[in-house]
Amino acid sequence: MRQTLLVLDIQNDYCSDQARMPVAKQIEPILNGINDLIKRAERLMIPIIYIRNEFE
């Protein structure tokens, strides 16, 4: 089985003033965890797919 890291753009749902699921107090550990996963995937040559959603 081949591994891939999928990084979803969920910033507005968590960080904006109108966030549906605000986690402002927890955002630094969340971002650090995501960045660590990205670095690990790069080091292991695991493909990374970034998804960005825009809604108006």
Side-chain angles (χ1 to χ4, degrees), residues 2-56:
R2 188 174 168 146
Q3 294 180 334
T4 301
L5 176 62
L6 179 62
V7 181
L8 301 174
D9 178 13
I10 52 176
Q11 180 176 347
N12 287 333
D13 280 343
Y14 292 101
C15 303
S16 75
D17 292 335
Q18 295 83 27
R20 289 186 247 169
M21 299 168 279
V23 293
K25 295 178 184 176
Q26 303 167 342
I27 197 63
E28 285 299 320
I30 291 169
L31 292 177
N32 289 339
I34 292 169
N35 287 330
D36 288 345
L37 285 172
I38 291 170
K39 288 176 189 172
R40 198 175 328 164
E42 289 173 339
R43 193 170 47 249
L44 296 171
M45 298 177 58
I46 295 172
I48 304 170
I49 299 172
Y50 295 92
I51 305 292
R52 181 177 178 199
N53 292 320
E54 288 190 33
F55 300 98
E56 292 189 28

